[in-house]
Amino acid sequence: MRPKPEDLKALVYPLVRISDSMRRAQRGQMDPTRLAILQQSATKGAVRPSDVASDLGVHQSSITRQTRVLEEAGHVRLEADPADRRSCLITLTESGWDEVRRLTRLGLDRFADFLEDWEPEDVRKLGELLSRLETSIATTKRREQRRGRPWQRKDD
């Protein structure tokens, strides 16, 4: 059963405002694309720039530029991809790991302030629901990718 429009608005509007607020706050710390490159390298290990671009829905040239900045800062290292010599793999350096830990600590401290008056069970439940939403979004995106672009579909 599809949710009612008013219920969707009550969910979507605050999520958009929170997302915008987080983006503005991140700009003060680091470019969001650079942050995403660090986060993906930290969670996935060696990662291809094309995979990061695909996950973020941005052009690969944006990832290339931001990776270069991170490399110059000493946060990442680029190595040839043994599975595809035309590509490279991005990996974190010790400095990159330090930066990930620093930014994670800042983010978690900030969220602890936001949720200071919440019951622990409410925090856990919100985390579970947001994870479930994230899974639903990923599932829908995969399904849409299999169907192709709107102009390529024959069944619409």
Side-chain angles (χ1 to χ4, degrees), residues 107-123:
L108 291 176
D109 286 347
R110 188 71 176 139
F111 265 89
D113 291 342
F114 296 154
L115 302 173
E116 186 173 52
D117 298 332
W118 285 45
E119 292 296 323
E121 181 55 33
D122 290 341
V123 174

Side-chain angles (χ1 to χ4, degrees), residues 78-89:
L78 298 177
E79 301 168 350
D81 182 350
D84 181 356
R85 302 298 283 178
R86 297 169 295 170
S87 186
C88 65
L89 296 173

Side-chain angles (χ1 to χ4, degrees), residues 9-82:
K9 287 177 186 176
L11 170 69
V12 171
Y13 291 170
L15 283 176
V16 169
R17 287 191 301 270
I18 291 167
S19 177
D20 288 345
S21 175
M22 289 177 66
R23 242 184 260 110
R24 283 191 304 277
Q26 286 174 342
R27 276 190 221 122
Q29 296 298 320
M30 177 180 282
D31 177 277
T33 304
R34 276 183 250 156
L35 180 60
I37 293 167
L38 290 175
Q39 288 172 330
Q40 287 209 10
S41 297
T43 58
K44 297 180 179 180
V47 63
R48 286 188 184 109
S50 59
D51 293 340
V52 176
S54 176
D55 288 349
L56 296 178
V58 300
H59 194 272
Q60 190 168 338
S61 64
S62 175
I63 301 302
T64 301
R65 279 192 304 276
Q66 298 305 330
T67 299
R68 194 173 304 125
V69 172
L70 289 169
E71 185 180 32
E72 289 169 3
H75 295 322
V76 299
R77 178 176 43 257
L78 298 177
E79 301 168 350
D81 182 350

Side-chain angles (χ1 to χ4, degrees), residues 95-112:
S95 170
W97 279 109
D98 290 344
E99 186 67 359
V100 167
R101 286 188 284 271
R102 182 185 76 80
L103 292 169
T104 299
R105 201 170 36 256
L106 283 172
L108 291 176
D109 286 347
R110 188 71 176 139
F111 265 89

